[in-house]
C-alpha cells in the first residue's frame, strides 16, 4: 500500500505539471474535435458508444442544460438512476445525467469534453471504475483514468468542483473487493492533493455488520442497485451538492402611522 501511495504522489505531481501543456495541445472546441480525439483509443471508444453519444446529442438539441448545474457522469449505476433530478430537486442549475451503461472510467476520461466540459457545470460527480477492475485494469490504472478526467475538467473549468463517488461493493464482484478498496484508497489520497475536490464514501454504508455487501441494496443480478440502494446513495450524496440559496428574509412590518390610541 505504501508503494501505491507513493505512486499516487508521483502521478499527481506529473499530471499537474503537464496539465497546462495538455490543455494547450488539446484545446476545447465547440464541435469536440481535438488532436487527442484523433487517437485510435478515442475513435474506438466513439464507435463503441455511438448510440449513447447520439442519444445525448439528441437530448441536447431538445433542451440544452443551463450552465452552472451539476453533471453526473459514469457507468450504468448513473444511467439507471432515473430519479436523479427528482432526488436532488433543489440543486441550483439542475442536474444532468450523463451515465452510459457498461462504460469504464477510461471511457469517461476520453469523453470528458463531450459529457462534462460542454455543459459548463459548477460541479461534476463521477461514478465509474468497477467495470475497469472487472476488465482487468489495476487500481493505479483506474486512478490514472480518473486523474486524466479531472485534469481535462480542471483545465477548462478551473472553478468546477470535482467529486468522486467511491466504487461500490457489488455482490457479483465480491472477489474484486480487495482491489475495490485499494482503488478507493488511492483515489481518496489523490483527491486530498487536488483543490476543490472530494471523495464520497458510499462503499462503507453499503456493507453489512459482517463486512459483506448488503444484498437488499442490489437487484437480482447482484450488480445493479434497487430503489433502496439509490435511496442510500441519495442520503449520502445530498450534503455534497450545492444547496439552493436561502430565501431573503421578509422585511419587517412598517409601524402604522397616525396617533396612538389611548386606553380608556
Amino acid at each position: 500500500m505504501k508503494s501505491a501511495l507513493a505512486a499516487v504522489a508521483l502521478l499527481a505531481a506529473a499530471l499537474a505539471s503537464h496539465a497546462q501543456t495538455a490543455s494547450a495541445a488539446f484545446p476545447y472546441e465547440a464541435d469536440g474535435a481535438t488532436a487527442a480525439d484523433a487517437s485510435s483509443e478515442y475513435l474506438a471508444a466513439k464507435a463503441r458508444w455511438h448510440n449513447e453519444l447520439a442519444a445525448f446529442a439528441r437530448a441536447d438539441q431538445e433542451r440544452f442544460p443551463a450552465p452552472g448545474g451539476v453533471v453526473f457522469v459514469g457507468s450504468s449505476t448513473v444511467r439507471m438512476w432515473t430519479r436523479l433530478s427528482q432526488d436532488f430537486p433543489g440543486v441550483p442549475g439542475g442536474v444532468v445525467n450523463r451515465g452510459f451503461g457498461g462504460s469504464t472510467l477510461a471511457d469517461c476520461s476520453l469523453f470528458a469534453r463531450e459529457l462534462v466540459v460542454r455543459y459548463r457545470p459548477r460541479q461534476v460527480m463521477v461514478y465509474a471504475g468497477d467495470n475497469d477492475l472487472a476488465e482487468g485494469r489495476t487500481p493505479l490504472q483506474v486512478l490514472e483514468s480518473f486523474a486524466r478526467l479531472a485534469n481535462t475538467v480542471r483545465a477548462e473549468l478551473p472553478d468546477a468542483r470535482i467529486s468522486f463517488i467511491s466504487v461500490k461493493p457489488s455482490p457479483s464482484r465480491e472477489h474484486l473487493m480487495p482491489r475495490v478498496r485499494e482503488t478507493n484508497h488511492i483515489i481518496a489520497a489523490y483527491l486530498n492533493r487536488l483543490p476543490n475536490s472530494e471523495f464520497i464514501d458510499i462503499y462503507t454504508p453499503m456493507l453489512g455488520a459482517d463486512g459483506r455487501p448488503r444484498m437488499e441494496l442490489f437487484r437480482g443480478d447482484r450488480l445493479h442497485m434497487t430503489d433502496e440502494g439509490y435511496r442510500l446513495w441519495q442520503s449520502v450524496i445530498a450534503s455534497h451538492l450545492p444547496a439552493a440559496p436561502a430565501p431573503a428574509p421578509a422585511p419587517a412590518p412598517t409601524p402604522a402611522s397616525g396617533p396612538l390610541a389611548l386606553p380608556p
Side-chain angles (χ1 to χ4, degrees), residues 152-176:
T152 299
V153 172
R154 187 54 54 83
E156 303 288 346
L157 306 172
D159 297 325
R161 187 163 183 79
I162 299 173
S163 305
F164 182 83
I165 303 168
S166 67
V167 180
K168 70 183 189 296
S170 300
S172 65
R173 294 173 174 173
E174 198 166 358
H175 63 290
L176 291 175

